[in-house]
Amino acid sequence: MRSVFQPRAFSITGCTAALVICSLTFTTLAQSPTPPLPQTTAIAPPPTAKDKTPDKIPDNSSGSPSKHQAQAAEDAYLDGARLVGRNDLAAAEIQFSKAIKLNPSNRDYALALAVIHERRITALVQQAGKARLLGQKEKANTLLAEASLLDPQNDIVTEHLDQGTHPAIFHPEIEPWIRDSPAPAGPITLLPKSDPQSFHLHASEQDVIRQVLSGYGVRAVFDDSVEHESLRFDLDNSPYTEAVPVLLNMAHLFAVPLDSSSVIISKDTPENRERFERMLQETIYIPGMTNEQMDELGNVVRNVFDVKQITVDKISGNLVLRAPQETLTYINLTLADLIDGGSEVMIELKLYSIDKSNERNIGAQVPTQVGIYNVASSAQNLVTANQSIVNQAIAQGLIPANASSLAIALALIASGLVQSALLSSTLGFFGGGITTTGVTINQNPTFNLSLTASETRALDDIQLRVADRQSATFRVGDKYPITTATYSSGLTGSASSLAGVSINGVSASSLLNSAAGSAATIPEIQYEDLGLTLKATPSVQKSGAIRLHIDLKIEALTGGSISGIPILNSQQFTSDVTLDDGETALMASSVSKSQAASIGGLAGLGELPGFQTAVADKDATVDSSELILLVTPHITRRRSNLSAGPRIAINLPEPPS
């Protein structure tokens, strides 16, 4: 048998050699307008269809060309060399042909035409080979046909035309990267007659099966395991696909094709299945998988489909299987759904948060407490309490010696030597002499007219791309350390129990006290995620709707603490919702509002109309918070439209008779 791989390798070698010839030749042509013809060469240009070799250049018997024709031929030759540099081989071949026609006596023109003609054919063959590797058979055939028109007798073109007639193993429209190669022998296909037949037979198993199969044009060969029991078979107007399976099930047999018109019949046992059932080998290419994923796929094929002959090539990403044809079909469908059958969903979430705070303080703060005191008595007490300072002031002449107690007290307060509320909180005096009485208040009147308002708006626009039935987590914020417990390291004990005990002349109790004093407090820290944490799990249903499981948590500090441990403000939302593609749903809406007001003033008078602002102070605070969550899912990739797999026949055990 002629190998189809050797000519292809020879063709590539020939193309490479032709390219080398062309590049060397035209480098010389570009350097010299009139290149000399080499006297000896190792490679002669191949013959063309027009037989334009240097040895068969037509001789100009009528004489040498004119000066004008020679110059025109030289110009055409140079134009052709420039076109070769631009890789325009067809136009270059026309110019070289023109140069030969004008001056056929110049052998350089003929040599250039022969080489460029061969290079053009080689380029067409290379383009055809590249198109064939990419699965573009029509383009490859067109390029080869063009090369064949240029030179039908060229060995390279003829060789590639022969290769193009071989069938391919793979479908190029499915796997264009697989190069054409001879197809190995596939499973044997039985070709029975399609006409319905009727049977009314009562004989041994082998005779009944032989007559039924012969009715459909199939020859039966029996294994030794087939018994010679009596069998009755009655069936009317049934095709082969209905009659033969019924007959084989009745006799507990199975058939394996030997060729297109004969089968071998054997008892249906696991041993016979292993002996006679034909196994097919298939290589399933699964690129881009990790070693763990390849092991999982291999386990699925091995355990679910009971394939014992399987090789998992983790480096190249291949699964090499040996199994019956039907089993391989089911494995391909299952792996296609597992690898590329899942959907992908892009979840768009918008979280709106609005916080408002408004505080007003309007009114007047009037004194609410009034007191009286005897001025003379209070002044005398102040002088008595500061007698030493009074004596020094009198000695220095700052205070007259015969001044009254009230004058002395006022002088001390005015000089700043004594601090007293005698004048600072006194509203006025009444009475006279020793009965002079002062009136005090607890505070000075103030008027308030203030407004403090704040508004905070936050928009979180989150987009997650998640595979079908997979979970995705989005977290933004900080990790805040919280001390949950503390413990001390060091020695503890009773120093009294070690009284009188010494170590190397040093008291043991002092050593214990020094060690206990160096104890360290070690905290136990727990980090809390402050901010926003979102978990989403989509599920694409058969109808195209998307079921979403959303778990949202917002956590922040409140500013307060209990026993040194901060208090956290946590908002958590968990829900399931089903939406169509592109539909928006309001999943969470939280509104909270708090109001607080306080009134301070004179009892009774501050409650009367007209006096609420004049003699009362009102402090009002309003806090409001709103939280809105909008969810919009989009299907970015759909799974396969196959809603059900193939029907697999399972041999169930027969019920007991």
Side-chain angles (χ1 to χ4, degrees):
M1 180 181 292
R2 178 174 177 265
S3 175
V4 297
F5 293 101
Q6 289 182 353
R8 177 176 298 176
F10 175 77
S11 302
I12 296 174
T13 305
C15 295
T16 306
L19 289 175
V20 173
I21 295 171
C22 298
S23 61
L24 292 176
T25 304
F26 284 99
T27 302
T28 308
L29 291 176
Q31 292 176 356
S32 176
T34 57
L37 182 67
Q39 299 297 327
T40 58
T41 177
I43 302 176
T48 62
K50 299 181 180 180
D51 199 20
K52 295 181 179 179
T53 60
D55 296 335
K56 295 184 179 181
I57 298 176
D59 189 10
N60 188 3
S61 59
S62 61
S64 61
S66 63
K67 184 178 181 181
H68 178 72
Q69 291 178 343
Q71 184 62 36
E74 187 70 17
D75 293 340
Y77 175 78
L78 294 178
D79 291 339
R82 296 188 188 97
L83 292 172
V84 171
R86 301 173 186 172
N87 202 23
D88 191 354
L89 304 182
E93 187 175 356
I94 295 174
Q95 294 296 327
F96 291 150
S97 300
K98 181 180 177 181
I100 293 176
K101 186 176 181 181
L102 293 173
N103 188 5
S105 62
N106 193 329
R107 299 179 67 243
D108 295 338
Y109 300 162
L111 177 61
L113 178 62
V115 173
I116 199 62
H117 186 78
E118 185 68 22
R119 180 177 176 183
R120 184 180 176 188
I121 294 175
T122 304
L124 291 173
V125 173
Q126 287 180 338
Q127 294 176 9
K130 183 178 179 181
R132 183 176 298 170
L133 292 178
L134 297 176
Q136 303 172 357
K137 287 188 174 181
E138 295 182 0
K139 181 179 179 181
N141 295 334
T142 303
L143 294 172
L144 290 176
E146 184 179 354
S148 179
L149 290 176
L150 294 175
D151 193 353
Q153 299 178 358
N154 191 295
D155 295 337
I156 299 177
V157 178
T158 305
E159 181 181 334
H160 281 78
L161 284 174
D162 294 339
Q163 291 182 6
T165 59
H166 292 289
I169 302 177
F170 302 94
H171 298 286
E173 62 273 8
I174 299 177
E175 295 175 334
W177 57 86
I178 303 299
R179 65 176 59 189
D180 296 342
S181 57
I188 298 176
T189 303
L190 190 65
L191 301 176
K193 296 180 180 179
S194 59
D195 299 335
Q197 303 289 332
S198 298
F199 304 98
H200 301 280
L201 304 173
H202 187 193
S204 64
E205 289 183 357
Q206 296 189 9
D207 293 338
V208 172
I209 294 173
R210 186 179 293 107
Q211 295 183 38
V212 172
L213 291 179
S214 63
Y216 295 103
V218 178
R219 183 175 63 91
V221 178
F222 294 94
D223 181 57
D224 296 338
S225 60
V226 180
E227 301 175 355
H228 297 274
E229 297 182 358
S230 177
L231 181 64
R232 186 180 186 91
F233 185 68
D234 295 304
L235 197 62
D236 294 328
N237 197 24
S238 298
Y240 177 87
T241 55
E242 295 180 0
V244 175
V246 171
L247 177 61
L248 295 178
N249 287 334
M250 291 176 59
H252 304 290
L253 305 174
F254 74 98
V256 177
L258 297 176
D259 52 36
S260 60
S261 60
S262 60
V263 295
I264 182 171
I265 309 297
S266 177
K267 196 70 174 178
D268 193 357
T269 60
E271 294 79 8
N272 289 337
R273 288 275 184 180
E274 187 174 354
R275 286 173 54 202
F276 296 106
E277 200 168 32
R278 295 186 180 274
M279 307 289 284
L280 299 180
Q281 177 172 315
E282 182 180 10
T283 301
I284 302 177
Y285 303 95
I286 313 176
M289 292 288 180
T290 62
N291 294 340
E292 293 76 10
Q293 292 173 338
M294 292 294 297
D295 290 335
E296 292 177 359
L297 293 177
N299 293 332
V300 169
V301 174
R302 196 177 287 111
N303 299 328
V304 176
F305 297 96
D306 195 21
V307 176
K308 298 179 176 61
Q309 299 183 23
I310 176 174
T311 302
V312 180
D313 190 352
K314 301 178 183 179
I315 299 177
S316 58
N318 299 335
L319 293 179
V320 183
L321 313 175
R322 286 189 179 182
Q325 182 180 5
E326 291 185 353
T327 304
L328 292 178
T329 303
Y330 304 147
I331 291 174
N332 277 269
L333 293 174
T334 303
L335 293 182
D337 186 69
L338 288 176
I339 297 171
D340 199 24
S343 302
E344 281 189 355
V345 180
M346 186 186 73
I347 305 174
E348 184 178 358
L349 298 103
K350 294 183 182 295
L351 182 64
Y352 298 91
S353 177
I354 302 175
D355 295 326
K356 295 182 180 180
S357 178
N358 193 328
E359 182 179 358
R360 294 182 180 181
N361 189 1
I362 301 175
Q365 293 182 353
V366 297
T368 56
Q369 296 179 1
V370 178
I372 58 176
Y373 64 94
N374 186 269
V375 176
S377 176
S378 299
Q380 184 61 41
N381 294 333
L382 181 62
V383 172
T384 304
N386 300 277
Q387 190 63 48
S388 60
I389 298 176
V390 172
N391 294 334
Q392 292 178 6
I394 293 174
Q396 296 177 2
L398 298 176
I399 300 176
N402 57 353
S404 62
S405 298
L406 180 59
I408 296 174
L410 294 176
L412 292 176
I413 295 173
S415 62
L417 298 176
V418 176
Q419 299 291 333
S420 174
L422 186 62
L423 295 178
S424 60
S425 61
T426 300
L427 181 62
F429 302 94
F430 64 90
I434 61 174
T435 62
T436 302
T437 303
V439 180
T440 62
I441 56 176
N442 60 337
Q443 63 182 11
N444 296 323
T446 58
F447 295 93
N448 299 322
L449 186 62
S450 64
L451 172 64
T452 303
S454 65
E455 181 175 353
T456 304
R457 296 175 179 266
L459 170 61
D460 294 327
D461 193 348
I462 306 169
Q463 292 183 354
L464 300 177
R465 187 159 182 159
V466 195
D468 188 19
R469 299 183 299 273
Q470 301 295 325
S471 297
T473 302
F474 176 82
R475 180 179 291 112
V476 58
D478 300 324
K479 282 187 173 294
Y480 188 80
I482 296 177
T483 302
T484 58
T486 58
Y487 63 93
S488 300
S489 64
L491 299 176
T492 59
S494 176
S496 59
S497 60
L498 299 176
V501 179
S502 61
I503 301 175
N504 296 330
V506 181
S507 174
S509 59
S510 62
L511 293 175
L512 180 61
N513 292 333
S514 61
S518 61
T521 301
I522 301 175
E524 188 173 316
I525 303 297
Q526 178 179 347
Y527 286 89
E528 289 289 335
D529 292 324
L530 300 183
L532 186 145
T533 303
L534 173 67
K535 296 182 181 179
T537 305
S539 298
V540 181
Q541 300 178 354
K542 181 181 177 181
S543 61
I546 306 170
R547 180 179 178 271
L548 287 175
H549 176 77
I550 298 294
D551 189 354
L552 176 66
K553 183 179 181 182
I554 302 175
E555 200 167 30
L557 295 173
T558 60
S561 62
I562 299 177
S563 300
I565 300 177
I567 301 174
L568 301 179
N569 181 13
S570 178
Q571 297 178 357
Q572 190 167 2
F573 170 79
T574 303
S575 178
D576 294 323
V577 65
T578 302
L579 301 171
D580 292 331
D581 187 4
E583 185 180 0
T584 302
L586 176 63
M587 294 194 65
S589 178
S590 175
V591 179
S592 62
K593 187 175 182 179
S594 62
Q595 295 182 354
S598 61
I599 299 177
L602 299 176
L605 187 60
E607 299 176 358
L608 296 177
F611 292 91
Q612 295 179 355
T613 304
V615 297
D617 183 65
K618 185 176 182 180
D619 190 356
T621 302
V622 179
D623 294 328
S624 62
S625 176
E626 298 180 10
L627 180 65
I628 299 175
L629 176 62
L630 300 177
V631 179
T632 306
H634 302 278
I635 298 179
T636 57
R637 189 185 70 180
R638 292 186 179 273
R639 64 179 293 121
S640 174
N641 293 327
L642 296 176
S643 58
R647 297 181 179 178
I648 304 175
I650 301 176
N651 297 328
L652 300 176
E654 294 185 355
S657 57

